[in-house]
Amino acid sequence: MSKPTPLSGFPEWLPPQRMIEQQLLARIARTFELYGFAPLETRAVEPLDQLLRKGETSKEVYVLRRLQDSGGDADLGLHFDLTVPFARFVLENAGRLQFPFRRYQIQKVWRGERPQEGRYREFLQADIDIVDRDTLPFHYDAEMPLVVGDALRGLPIPPVTIMVNNRKVCEGFYRGLGLADPEPVLRAVDKLDKIGPGKVAALLTETAGATDAQAAACLELAAIAAPDASFADRVRALGVTDPLLDEGLDELVRVVDAAAAHSPGLVVADLKIARGLDYYTGTVYETVLAGYESSGSICSGGRYDNLASSGAERFPGVGISIGVSRLLGLLFGRSALTVSRAVPTCVLVALTDEDARPAAGRVAGALRSRGIATEVAPAAAKFGKQIRYAERRGIPFVWFPGADGAADSVKDIRSGEQVDADAAVWQPPAADLLPVVSAAVTAGS
């Protein structure tokens, strides 16, 4: 077989990186569960008409078809996020769910965009959503950033800032300016960080029919940001009035005030946040990692009142998604995370000869039964060689069988300390039981 060519945009972590990923996922899931979110997994494919009706472009969706069937299942595509399939799941199972329904979902999604650092075609997301029947109380919008803040604060990563806005603020302001169709304005403003205010102003005049004065006012609104409710006064000072604008400002103040009481500094009101998908109707969130701001958002979401609806039934929701692969890709790219050892194994049981393998297996079994990850040496060799094997693997302890009726012993190969031990009761230090993930220490830190 010739050497395979790597596929860009489909990350495959090395085992130490995968252990880091698994530990981070476990901590995230635990935080979600502490807030009462139940786990869910949905299918990987959805009908294309469902995938494409809420703002995603066809060029970003992967179509599912069989190799030997040119027609195949071309009406199916791989999901590009977890919100659309979740909305479909709610509609199909509404009679069996208790509302408000709180779920978390950690699953891969696929998106056909240009791969770059931290941005992939296949990636893992960790989502939480709350949906209710008919109406969803607004206090859930304020809860979302608190959950994510707690989840991310429990990880060995730089601090995060969650930027919040409300589409009602934007839409009400645009209507108050005389721009009747807010969608092209939102799409243009959403590109501010990518193309800058000059090009956004040109885009507003070209695609949204804005005058130069209207475009300037839209940019003035987008420039407002504050860690407290003072943003509302700055918006009102712009002199634009509209009932929807007032409603959005009141809601956004509630989100910012709730976050300030729970986690000061976690949330900032940033009125340039728009979110590109059309299904958001109110609060929207984006999150940046300290030191990685230029890489964009690692966590986003918002309120959607009409995504899950069928006939007269409506299931409004609010959700937020952590881009796990995106976050890890950025951190791995700077070697910013480390794990205390490259394998789960805590103990290597040494072999005197191959005849001793059954006895070594019994020792390993006794240790494993108490939650201590153990493997038996791959081959009988001089103990020095077996110790070097453990060192190369990062295994901290080597277990030696007792000779001529003597007790077994275990050696910490880092310190050289060796003590008699019984596999039925011996316990490693708590810090060595499992690999420990931590932020990498860099020179000067």
Side-chain angles (χ1 to χ4, degrees):
M1 180 180 177
S2 60
K3 185 177 180 179
T5 302
L7 283 176
S8 63
F10 296 87
E12 293 179 319
W13 308 133
L14 293 170
Q17 295 172 318
R18 174 62 173 153
M19 287 197 298
I20 291 172
E21 179 185 58
Q22 287 182 314
Q23 286 206 25
L24 266 59
L25 289 175
R27 294 186 198 183
I28 290 169
R30 177 57 181 152
T31 303
F32 289 168
E33 290 178 357
L34 286 173
Y35 275 85
F37 292 88
L40 179 68
E41 181 170 317
T42 56
R43 66 197 185 204
V45 298
E46 297 292 333
L48 282 177
D49 60 347
Q50 295 296 309
L51 290 176
L52 300 178
R53 70 186 179 95
K54 293 298 179 179
E56 197 70 1
T57 61
S58 58
K59 67 180 181 181
E60 294 175 317
V61 174
Y62 284 106
V63 171
L64 183 72
R65 70 175 181 86
R66 290 185 297 164
L67 184 62
Q68 301 300 325
D69 185 351
S70 58
D73 295 313
D75 58 339
L76 297 178
L78 296 173
H79 56 220
F80 59 81
D81 73 356
L82 298 178
T83 305
V84 171
F86 173 61
R88 186 265 311 158
F89 178 89
V90 169
L91 290 175
E92 289 183 0
N93 295 277
R96 296 185 288 173
L97 300 176
Q98 296 294 320
F99 293 97
F101 179 47
R102 305 165 69 93
R103 82 86 172 84
Y104 76 89
Q105 194 167 343
I106 300 176
Q107 201 170 337
K108 286 190 174 180
V109 300
W110 295 266
R111 195 171 297 176
E113 55 186 359
R114 183 173 64 86
Q116 51 190 294
E117 185 184 40
R119 193 175 292 277
Y120 306 106
R121 301 183 208 178
E122 178 184 70
F123 52 98
L124 193 66
Q125 290 189 175
D127 283 26
I128 51 171
D129 285 84
I130 303 173
V131 297
D132 209 341
R133 193 187 295 271
D134 299 326
T135 60
L136 179 72
F138 182 78
H139 63 79
Y140 292 122
D141 290 48
E143 182 181 358
M144 286 288 121
L146 310 187
V147 181
V148 167
D150 284 356
L152 295 177
R153 190 165 43 240
L155 307 179
I157 64 173
V160 300
T161 300
I162 301 176
M163 302 173 295
V164 299
N165 194 6
N166 192 303
R167 281 207 173 185
K168 295 175 185 176
V169 171
C170 300
E171 293 184 19
F173 187 86
Y174 303 152
R175 289 174 182 170
L177 284 175
L179 296 169
D181 184 3
E183 291 303 326
V185 187
L186 285 166
R187 283 194 289 270
V189 171
D190 196 41
K191 295 179 170 63
L192 254 175
D193 287 339
K194 294 181 180 178
I195 64 176
K199 292 184 178 178
V200 168
L203 201 59
L204 287 170
T205 58
E206 293 168 10
T207 65
T211 65
D212 290 344
Q214 289 171 326
C218 291
L219 291 175
E220 280 190 274
L221 178 72
I224 295 174
D228 53 36
S230 64
F231 71 89
D233 292 333
R234 294 171 62 187
V235 173
R236 293 187 178 105
L238 296 178
V240 177
T241 59
D242 185 87
L244 189 62
L245 171 62
D246 293 335
E247 182 181 337
L249 286 173
D250 290 343
E251 290 182 354
L252 191 52
V253 166
R254 289 175 61 186
V255 173
V256 172
D257 285 348
H262 179 82
S263 301
L266 173 65
V267 164
V268 170
D270 190 329
L271 303 194
K272 72 175 181 297
I273 304 302
R275 302 292 301 132
L277 296 174
D278 294 345
Y279 54 66
Y280 294 119
T281 55
T283 310
V284 287
Y285 319 93
E286 287 194 356
T287 307
V288 292
L289 192 64
Y292 298 79
E293 290 86 353
S294 63
S295 297
S297 179
I298 53 102
C299 173
S300 56
R303 173 85 173 216
Y304 48 92
D305 284 324
N306 305 308
L307 182 60
S309 59
S310 178
E313 281 198 303
R314 194 169 69 104
F315 300 90
V318 63
I320 196 165
S321 171
I322 301 171
V324 178
S325 298
R326 180 168 177 73
L327 171 64
L328 288 175
L330 294 172
L331 295 171
F332 289 158
R334 296 193 195 177
S335 301
L337 290 174
T338 185
V339 64
S340 58
R341 59 180 185 262
V343 294
T345 311
C346 179
V347 178
L348 176 76
V349 181
L351 283 175
T352 52
D353 53 51
E354 283 301 320
D355 291 340
R357 188 171 290 277
R362 289 191 289 273
V363 170
L367 293 170
R368 292 176 192 136
S369 70
R370 293 186 298 107
I372 303 169
T374 307
E375 60 181 273
V376 177
K382 291 182 178 180
F383 283 162
K385 186 174 182 180
Q386 295 184 64
I387 290 172
R388 286 192 294 275
Y389 171 83
E391 286 176 334
R392 289 195 302 271
R393 300 258 289 159
I395 301 169
F397 296 97
V398 176
W399 192 280
F400 298 102
D404 301 323
D408 290 359
S409 62
V410 64
K411 182 174 185 175
D412 183 334
I413 63 174
R414 300 160 299 182
S415 66
E417 181 184 6
Q418 186 167 339
V419 297
D420 290 347
D422 180 350
V425 296
W426 177 82
Q427 192 74 18
D432 290 324
L433 182 60
L434 298 171
V436 176
V437 176
S438 58
V441 177
T442 58
S445 63

